[in-house]
Amino acid sequence: MSDLVPVLRRRRALLSIVYDVVAWVVAYYTVAWLRLDAVDATVPWGGIGLTALATATLYVALASTVRLHQGRAKTGSLDQMLMLGMAVMTAGALVFALNWVGQWIPRSVPAGATLGALVAAAWGRAIWRRMWERDLDLGHGDGVRVIVVGAGEAARELVGSMVRDPTRTWRPVGLLDDDSHKRHLRIRNIPVLGTIDELAEQTSRHEVGTVVIAIPSASAETVDRIRVAALAAGVAVKVLPSTTQLLSHTVGIRDLRDINLSDVLGRNQLDTDIDAIAGYLRGRKVLVTGAGGSIGSELCRQIHRFEPAELMMLDRDESALHAVQLSIHGRALLDSDDVILCDIRDSQAVNAVFASRRPDVVFHAAALKHLPMLEQYPAEAVKTNIVGTRTVLDAADLVDVDRFVNISTDKAANPSSVLGYSKRIAEQVTADRARHASGTYLSVRFGNVLGSRGSVLTSFASQIADGGPVTVTHPEVTRFFMTIEEACQLVIQAAAIGRPGEALVLDMGAPVRILDVAHQLIEQSHLPISIEYTGLREGEKLHEELFGDGEPQDVRPVHPLVSHVPVPPMSDEVTRRLPVQGESAAVRAAMADLCMPGTRSGSGSAFPVAQLSTRK
């Protein structure tokens, strides 16, 4: 029977029409036989047959309007069943109404035949689909035996992709899910074997070689728990990307990859208000500064999906602009006006860009971010992170930008480094501009981004590839982590829910010990790599903070994972006193004095604006 399926599939449209016509005729005669005396010579068998053919013809005509027989929906799918029901019931109702008036045949026959034809047509399609799926399943004897963790929609699509794969790479033998309502569920005849706590037992019983985590919305804690259990059971682990990393809602075997630290450190799922985001981005002119950087480029990719009228990508690095344009459009000729080569330190150039392009929404991601480098060259932090931010704010204000989002960092909370000072001042300058500008000006603050250029993961991976050692500053040093996708999702959400002058801070969960990150990467490499401690560098904290002293930590009026923090404004007149050249110690001291007068430890709170504005 399975060999017959490919032959029948090629003539599917004609066969399905013939089948449905036969179903109508059989249904009419069956109902008439049950309703009437079959040996009664007065039974209008001819009229019943003509009525059956007329109803079938009307049904085929109605079905053609929705392409029911031409493959608009997959055979046996819910969509096809809905179209089938609509066509059958409409045809049956019309014939029933006409027969009610003319009464060529008993009135109960068209009504009963309609229900019978619907059952027969639906049942036939269900059998066809089961034959097709069985044809695939029968050939799925080879491949790696896998257990899929999760029995939701993602698992359903993944299992279907596995059994349809002509290479037969994966052979699903069971599923695990903690939902008690799914304990009797089967997906493509693959049963739910038990809960996640039974992973070791089930992998041993079914001789499984790989566990696949098919829960795109799983938290980092859940992914890590499954990973540890799988490693203890001696099986490999694959994972579907998080929902923020998937390019579409449809998943398949092409999305499977090895588990990485982004899965066990990131995956903070932000419940994004898609409607609000679409409302302020779709059809608007959007400009992103620092568009070639890690954060800026991902911002551009995510914003592009919301169909802005114009997406302007501004950066001073032409190679970085080439890379981001290529990632979005699949081509990078650098000859279109969506890429803008400009330095935010050049006020005349920035003003010219804003005056000619007049953006509605601005995401300011351009910044210097490497802490040790800025400790050595603090004047450069002033020029880019403070003066550059002020320049972009001035240009945005001149053209009445509707929304302005300044990208900040957790190092701005109780700053102790040049990077932290400069970003804290940038937050305060943005807050000051929010008092006077017509639009909404705010900041977004988050921790370390996994996978960005110069991140700890990149450094550790490079050291491991070179044979080690892996260098860690201190055995107890901790940091907050999130993926680039999650960070940019927060930034985009901020412009939709943030109020003027404040900073939005994501609840990033518990900080992660850097030593544990190093151990996990070394464990994944299966290499004998040693770890060396180098000591904290100047300006570095042992533990980062998301909130400064005196800042409220649980003000979450809109989103349960996003805190709103008021930022005391700092006027442009005050920041203009900062030196942009000269001795590094003097520049660093001036920045620390602006943020927290009288202290270099970073333990004080922000100095009152009134006092800042009167300082000599």
Side-chain angles (χ1 to χ4, degrees), residues 22-23 26 55 58 82 88 100 107 120 131 135-136 230 265 312 325 392 434 440 452 509 524 566 600:
V22 172
V26 172
T55 308
L58 178 60
L82 291 174
V88 169
W100 183 276
R107 292 171 179 172
M131 287 170 55
D135 182 56
L136 292 173
L265 298 181
M312 295 164 270
Q325 189 182 53
V392 178
T440 300
S452 63
Q524 290 181 7
R600 292 286 307 286

Side-chain angles (χ1 to χ4, degrees), residues 300-337:
C300 291
R301 283 187 286 270
Q302 293 196 20
I303 292 169
H304 177 71
R305 300 173 193 168
F306 292 102
E307 301 176 353
E310 190 176 353
L311 175 58
M312 295 164 270
M313 299 176 285
L314 184 149
D315 204 289
R316 67 178 181 178
D317 186 340
E318 59 182 348
S319 297
L321 287 174
H322 177 277
V324 66
Q325 189 182 53
L326 181 64
S327 69
I328 292 175
H329 301 294
R331 55 184 294 276
L333 300 180
L334 299 178
D335 58 353
S336 57
D337 59 2

Side-chain angles (χ1 to χ4, degrees), residues 295 299 363-365 367 405-409 423 442-444 446 491:
I295 293 292
L299 271 175
F363 292 91
H364 178 46
V405 181
N406 170 53
I407 310 301
S408 189
T409 170
K423 297 301 286 184
L442 51 89
S443 298
V444 182
F446 49 83
V491 170

Side-chain angles (χ1 to χ4, degrees), residues 39-98:
V39 298
D40 190 346
T42 63
V43 174
W45 296 109
I48 291 173
L50 290 175
T51 305
L53 291 175
T55 308
T57 302
L58 178 60
Y59 158 76
V60 172
L62 291 171
S64 66
T65 62
V66 292
R67 299 292 188 266
L68 174 63
H69 299 109
Q70 285 73 36
R72 180 172 177 176
K74 188 175 180 179
T75 301
S77 65
L78 177 60
D79 288 339
Q80 188 184 60
M81 292 302 169
L82 291 174
M83 289 189 292
L84 175 68
M86 181 182 65
V88 169
M89 297 305 292
T90 302
L94 289 174
V95 172
F96 177 82
L98 292 173

Side-chain angles (χ1 to χ4, degrees), residues 3 15 29 39 44 48 104 109 111 135 158 164 187 195 203 205 219 256 266 281 352 468 483-484 513 553 555 585 593:
D3 295 336
L15 289 173
Y29 276 108
V39 298
I48 291 173
W104 306 294
V109 173
D135 182 56
L158 179 62
R164 290 192 303 269
I187 297 177
T195 64
T203 53
R205 177 182 300 173
S219 65
L256 287 181
L281 289 180
T483 66
I484 293 178
R513 200 167 64 140
Q553 300 188 18
V555 180
D593 194 35

Side-chain angles (χ1 to χ4, degrees), residues 345 367-370 373-375 377-389 417-423 426 578-580 587 591:
R345 295 181 176 188
L368 297 178
K369 65 176 184 178
H370 289 286
M373 183 68 75
L374 297 185
E375 288 296 319
Y377 301 102
E380 297 304 308
V382 174
K383 294 175 186 177
T384 297
N385 295 354
I386 299 176
V387 177
T389 297
S417 63
V418 169
L419 172 60
Y421 293 141
S422 65
K423 297 301 286 184
L578 285 171
V580 294
V587 177
M591 295 173 69

